[in-house]
């Protein structure tokens, strides 16, 4: 007799004939920073992948039958009946899941509709549907709960890198072997080695060499700190649930961090014997320090390497800075330590509010529901590369400022019929209509040649080129 959430209602689990995966609140008690991370490996037919290692970065969720894990194949997210767009990034370049606005402690259950079970949501559910039901207040005395935890993050062991003397010896050995190969000497020919290859590094160079462990300069231990407080209670006619949540994740790659603040309230009032009003409000703020974690930015190759990829390429006998105090440079690869001076911060703020009216037309048989919801999200991203950092094959100060906003309005009305006829026949039916309005606006300015002290604080002082862009879309 356990019930699960399905499209526009609930069903007894034994009556469900379509493909649905379900998780309860107890299964979400894991030390991660977002809801989508808690889904990894937990549901059959649901594949979750992480495009990058940025703390708090959104994961790509692929529901069985929805195609490859790429932008545009995200499922439809429905929170307490309110659809939320799965479009990632909000135009900021930061992959941010719609689930980032939800506190895991507020979730009662998660159901994923696959295949035919998702079809009730129409074309918007072509990639599956993730249904999230949040906790509500219960009749009883006021109950105040606090829970918190701190988790430590350690990187998996990476390949051991050569120290400076070992690397220099291998360079000499490789050079000799290459020389003998090219001249058909030693093992590669019929004549003995003539000692004609001069060692790149002398014995004194090797003996005095100092090792720079680039990998350890970029990698570090991280942590996740979570704090949550809830207040709930109610009477027969009024129930309330209020929660506040704070999460901080410090990444295990330098200059990567995330902070999230979430406040949520659910209040339901039984106005009459047949009329119930429910309101929900959620506000969140997310701040990301986007460390250069990945391999190559926008597939531009090693000239735009991330800090970790660059650290695996740099030579162990190179210092971080040269005798003049400037960052050293290996080929066209950016200096891994220098990239810590780059500014790359994203902020995502949002709130949503919805009202639901439930009307019992015929008790335990025919009911109507009316829903109005409004969601607003705004995001900004500030990027600045100082003039003394070699990145993308140039020494040039560069910056960009992005601002984006998204509005979603949902209006729905449904009528549900649920009636058992004897022991062997039950009829469930739903009919309804909805209107969904979406509006997207944004603008960005990129520029070059500003004073490094000013950075993005006064872009009007930049002496180089300015490139403004903007967009507007409604559907």
């Amino acid at each position: 007799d356990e019930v699960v959430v399905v499209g526009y209602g609930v069903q007894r689990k034994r009556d469900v004939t379509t493909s649905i995966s379900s998780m309860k609140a107890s299964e979400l008690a894991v030390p991660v920073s977002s809801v989508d991370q808690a889904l990894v490996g937990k549901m059959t037919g649901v594949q979750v992948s992480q495009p990058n290692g940025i703390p708090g970065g959104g994961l790509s969720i692929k529901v069985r039958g929805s195609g490859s894990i790429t932008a545009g194949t995200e499922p439809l997210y429905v929170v307490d009946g309110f659809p939320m767009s799965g479009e990632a990034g909000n135009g900021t370049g930061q992959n941010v899941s719609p689930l980032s606005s939800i506190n895991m402690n507020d979730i009662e259950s998660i159901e994923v509709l696959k295949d035919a079970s998702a079809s009730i949501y129409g074309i918007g559910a072509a990639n599956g549907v993730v249904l999230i039901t949040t906790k509500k207040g219960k009749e009883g005395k006021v109950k105040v709960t606090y829970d918190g935890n701190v988790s430590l993050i350690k990187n998996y062991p990476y390949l051991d890198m050569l120290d400076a003397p070992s690397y220099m010896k291998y360079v000499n050995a490789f050079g000799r072997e290459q020389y003998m190969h090219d001249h058909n000497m030693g093992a590669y020919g019929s004549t003995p080695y003539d000692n004609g290859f001069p060692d790149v590094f002398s014995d004194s160079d090797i003996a005095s060499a100092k090792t720079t462990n680039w990998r350890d300069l970029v990698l570090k231990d991280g942590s996740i700190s979570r704090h949550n407080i809830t207040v709930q209670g109610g009477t027969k006619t009024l129930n309330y649930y209020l929660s506040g949540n704070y999460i901080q994740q410090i990444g295990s790659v330098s200059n990567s961090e995330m902070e999230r603040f979430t406040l949520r309230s659910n209040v339901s009032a039984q106005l009459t014997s047949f009329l119930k009003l429910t309101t929900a409000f959620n506000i969140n703020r997310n701040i990301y320090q986007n460390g250069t974690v990945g391999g190559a930015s926008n597939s531009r190759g090693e000239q735009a390497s991330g800090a970790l990829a660059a650290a695996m390429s740099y030579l162990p006998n190179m210092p971080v800075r040269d005798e003049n105090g400037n960052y050293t440079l290996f080929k066209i690869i950016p200096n891994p330590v220098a990239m810590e001076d780059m500014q790359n911060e994203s902020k995502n703020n949002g709130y949503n509010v919805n009202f639901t009216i439930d009307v019992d037309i015929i008790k335990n048989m025919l009911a109507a529901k009316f829903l109005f919801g409004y969601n607003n999200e705004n995001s900004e991203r500030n990027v600045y590369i100082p003039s003394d950092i070699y990145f993308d094959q140039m020494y040039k100060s560069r910056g960009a400022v992005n601002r984006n906003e998204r509005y979603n309005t949902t209006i729905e009305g449904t009528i549900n019929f649920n009636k058992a006829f004897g022991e062997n026949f039950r009829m469930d039916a739903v009919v309804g209509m909805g209107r969904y309005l979406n509006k997207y606006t944004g603008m960005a300015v990129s520029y070059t040649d500003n004073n490094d002290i000013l950075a993005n604080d006064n872009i009007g002082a930049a002496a180089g080129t300015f490139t403004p862009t903007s967009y507007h879309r409604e559907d």
Side-chain angles (χ1 to χ4, degrees), residues 445-456:
V445 177
S446 59
Y447 64 93
T448 61
D449 296 326
N450 200 9
N451 188 301
D452 290 337
I453 297 177
L454 298 176
N456 281 339

Side-chain angles (χ1 to χ4, degrees), residues 53-198:
I54 296 175
L59 277 67
S60 291
I61 298 178
K62 176 183 177 293
V63 178
R64 183 179 62 201
S66 63
S68 60
I69 300 182
T70 57
T73 63
E74 294 294 309
L76 173 69
Y77 298 91
V78 180
V79 181
D80 292 335
F82 179 66
M84 299 180 68
S85 172
E87 181 177 333
N90 297 346
T92 65
Q94 167 71 37
N95 181 32
V96 178
S97 167
L99 301 181
S100 65
S101 64
I102 302 174
N103 173 13
M104 281 198 301
N105 296 76
D106 293 339
I107 295 177
E108 186 68 40
S109 67
I110 298 177
E111 276 78 23
V112 177
L113 308 185
K114 297 169 282 188
D115 307 326
S117 64
S119 61
I120 193 171
Y121 284 97
I123 191 172
N127 298 317
V129 180
V130 178
L131 299 177
I132 296 178
T133 303
T134 62
K135 296 177 180 178
K136 309 296 190 296
K138 299 179 181 179
E139 182 180 349
K141 294 181 179 180
V142 178
K143 181 180 180 181
V144 180
T145 306
Y146 165 81
D147 64 85
N149 59 71
V150 176
S151 305
L152 301 181
I153 300 173
K154 295 186 71 69
N155 289 291
Y156 279 107
Y158 274 75
L159 292 173
D160 288 332
M161 310 299 289
L162 292 173
D163 59 20
S166 298
Y167 167 77
M168 296 163 78
K169 290 176 182 178
Y170 271 107
V171 170
N172 287 343
F174 179 82
R176 285 192 297 270
E177 294 295 320
Q178 186 68 49
Y179 176 85
M180 288 189 289
H181 175 271
D182 294 343
H183 293 84
N184 299 316
M185 295 179 179
Y188 309 103
S190 57
T191 59
Y193 175 49
D194 63 359
N195 294 314
F197 176 78

Side-chain angles (χ1 to χ4, degrees), residues 2 16 21 66 70 75 99 160 166 234 239 243 245 365 388 457:
E2 182 181 354
V16 175
S21 293
S66 63
T70 57
L99 301 181
D160 288 332
S166 298
N239 295 325
S243 74
N245 178 260
M365 184 171 70
D388 63 339
D457 294 332

Side-chain angles (χ1 to χ4, degrees), residues 227-345:
H227 304 276
N228 190 80
I229 187 168
T230 60
V231 180
Q232 59 181 317
T235 63
K236 290 184 178 181
T237 58
L238 180 68
N239 295 325
Y240 54 88
Y241 177 94
L242 177 67
S243 74
N245 178 260
Y246 171 76
I247 294 179
Q248 181 188 46
Q249 179 177 350
I250 299 175
S252 57
V253 176
S254 62
N255 206 27
S256 57
E257 186 177 340
M258 181 275 295
E259 281 188 295
R260 177 177 298 142
F261 306 85
T262 309
L263 180 66
R264 184 175 188 86
S265 70
N266 282 334
V267 179
S268 60
Q270 190 72 45
L271 302 180
T272 67
S273 60
F274 61 89
L275 185 63
K276 181 180 180 180
L277 172 65
T278 302
T279 67
F281 178 78
N282 190 92
I283 185 170
N284 67 93
R285 178 173 174 81
N286 306 274
I287 304 172
Y288 304 90
Q289 302 297 331
N290 306 319
T292 49
V293 176
S297 178
N298 295 329
S299 302
R300 298 202 302 276
E302 60 183 10
Q303 67 193 43
S305 292
L308 181 54
M312 305 297 280
S313 303
Y314 259 60
L315 307 182
N317 62 321
M318 290 180 60
V320 175
R321 294 179 181 268
D322 60 23
E323 60 275 7
N324 298 318
N326 300 318
Y327 286 114
T328 54
L329 183 64
F330 175 60
K331 296 183 176 179
I332 62 172
I333 304 173
N335 186 299
V337 178
M339 279 189 276
E340 294 184 5
D341 297 338
M342 295 168 54
Q343 299 177 24
N344 191 345
E345 182 183 68

